[in-house]
Amino acid sequence: MNQATLHQLKVFEAAARHGSFTRAAEELFLTQPTVSMQIKQLTKSVGLPLFEQVGKRLYLTEAGRELFATCRQIFETIAQFEMKVADLKGLKQGQLRLAVITTAKYFIPRLLGRFCQLYPGIDISLQVTNHEGILDRMSGNMDDLYIMSQVPDHLDVNFQPFLANPLVVLAPINHPLVKEKNISIQRLADEPFIMREPGSGTRRAIQKLFDENGVAVKVKLELGSNEAIKQAIAGGLGISVLSRHTLIPEMGDLAILDVEHFPIKRNWYMVYPNGKQLSIVARTYCDYLLEAAKEFVDNNAGLYAEAQS
Ligand code: PGA
């Protein structure tokens, strides 16, 4: 490996991540032949093939997989070093990789604006995915911080709650149940229900409550997006349960139903795997988020009370 360069490893890492030389070339602003050449030289240094082509698809060989894992560690260590140096220089700069569950996208991106103004040297990548997607990313150690509503119990993680994330029952504004108070949860079984996709944490929380109360809802439609569900409710396709935060700033054509056992009380947590060295940038972001969440609660005092009324 004496001949291998950091540049070659970077090219290899991108190609392995994308499973494509072309996409690696696009990402790194290189030509495809340059990528091929760099990988060819790296393969020579390693002395074993790194990729194999089966049909049109590119796969990592065993040596390739080992090298990919090694690259991840190398780049992580270099990034940590760069951030430490930046910190010694009194600068906050580097990269922040965040992965958040779908409901948090109603809150987190808005806050990033102010964070970026405070720390213009920090570049951010934000991935939005469902609960299952976050777990996958966490297992692959792909991000610095994760924001989710349910702390995984099968992974060893650090977590800190920072804001309530209640789930409420939503119906179109002209629905007959809107005027009723303290609706029995059993009544929901009479309504067509719109459900999030399997793998969604929201779905899991709803299902748990329904199971505990012996409620079997009629799922009329399954949708993988909170926004699509809101549109479907407004369009009269059924009722659903979503995070109260999906309705900020406006309720639109929707109303919150006053159903027993609701809202389902949940929190958002900042989570990262135990043993992970949080970068200075990530720690700065954690502190910022805790402050911003406090401010949010102060400015929206009525919100959670209203979610229950
Ligand atoms: P989801 O995440 O997108 O997986 O439903 C929301 C949550 O778990 O609260």
Side-chain angles (χ1 to χ4, degrees):
M1 284 294 281
N2 279 348
Q3 309 296 322
T5 66
L6 210 52
H7 180 61
Q8 285 170 355
L9 293 180
K10 231 178 226 167
V11 171
F12 166 77
E13 193 276 335
R17 188 163 25 87
H18 290 298
S20 153
F21 286 14
T22 313
R23 289 184 55 197
E26 280 165 14
E27 180 184 308
L28 299 171
F29 301 105
L30 297 171
T31 63
Q32 216 254 16
T34 307
V35 168
S36 303
M37 180 52 73
Q38 297 290 323
I39 289 176
K40 201 166 156 195
Q41 284 166 356
L42 185 61
T43 307
K44 219 165 131 201
S45 310
V46 174
L48 284 173
L50 301 171
F51 290 100
E52 57 196 2
Q53 178 124 24
V54 180
K56 282 200 170 146
R57 287 192 57 185
L58 202 57
Y59 294 91
L60 284 173
T61 59
E62 194 174 339
R65 282 198 298 276
E66 286 296 329
L67 184 60
F68 186 46
T70 307
C71 282
R72 281 270 163 95
Q73 286 167 6
I74 292 173
F75 293 131
E76 179 84 31
T77 310
I78 292 176
Q80 293 281 350
F81 171 72
E82 282 175 345
M83 285 184 216
K84 280 198 181 121
V85 170
D87 203 47
L88 290 174
K89 289 182 185 162
L91 301 168
K92 291 272 188 287
Q93 61 184 33
Q95 230 218 341
L96 176 66
R97 293 164 305 174
L98 286 178
V100 311
I101 45 164
T102 63
T103 50
K105 82 168 182 203
Y106 294 90
F107 182 70
I108 299 297
R110 246 185 268 182
L111 292 181
L112 284 176
R114 191 142 52 94
F115 184 73
C116 291
Q117 279 163 10
L118 283 172
Y119 304 106
I122 297 180
D123 296 326
I124 295 172
S125 90
L126 176 71
Q127 301 293 328
V128 182
T129 173
N130 69 14
H131 181 79
E132 205 95 332
I134 295 279
L135 293 182
D136 283 351
R137 295 187 68 86
M138 203 183 287
S139 310
N141 192 22
M142 295 176 80
D143 311 275
D144 297 312
L145 279 176
Y146 302 87
I147 290 172
M148 59 201 313
S149 283
Q150 200 183 336
V151 178
D153 40 23
H154 63 294
L155 295 174
D156 186 14
V157 292
N158 277 301
F159 60 91
Q160 173 153 23
F162 65 92
L163 193 63
N165 177 27
L167 300 183
V168 294
V169 186
L170 296 175
I173 205 154
N174 55 1
H175 194 285
L177 287 179
V178 172
K179 292 196 199 79
E180 293 197 26
K181 289 262 168 265
N182 204 16
I183 302 161
S184 139
I185 190 169
Q186 314 296 337
R187 295 269 301 273
L188 300 186
D190 302 334
E191 300 291 325
F193 198 87
I194 307 168
M195 191 64 113
R196 282 283 306 277
E197 78 287 1
S200 146
T202 307
R203 173 178 172 135
R204 199 183 300 179
I206 306 168
Q207 199 58 60
K208 182 164 170 276
L209 181 68
F210 286 165
D211 289 350
E212 283 164 3
N213 289 279
V215 178
V217 284
K218 290 184 289 225
V219 177
K220 162 117 181 161
L221 190 62
E222 203 173 274
L223 288 173
S225 137
N226 298 315
E227 276 310 298
I229 290 184
K230 279 164 59 183
Q231 296 301 326
I233 299 170
L237 282 168
I239 63 167
S240 189
V241 175
L242 290 180
S243 163
R244 174 64 182 86
H245 284 268
T246 63
L247 303 167
I248 296 173
E250 277 157 19
M251 293 287 294
D253 301 331
L254 308 183
I256 297 174
L257 297 186
D258 179 16
V259 181
E260 60 169 348
H261 303 303
F262 281 93
I264 301 176
K265 293 196 176 63
R266 305 180 86 211
N267 280 306
W268 276 320
Y269 297 87
M270 252 181 294
V271 184
Y272 61 91
N274 218 346
K276 186 174 175 72
Q277 277 272 335
L278 269 201
S279 69
I280 292 143
V281 167
R283 282 207 301 273
T284 307
Y285 184 75
C286 284
D287 295 343
Y288 167 82
L289 190 56
L290 290 178
E291 274 308 306
K294 265 194 230 141
E295 226 174 88
F296 181 86
V297 172
D298 290 344
N299 294 339
N300 294 275
L303 190 145
Y304 300 111
E306 165 243 309
Q308 300 181 56
S309 67

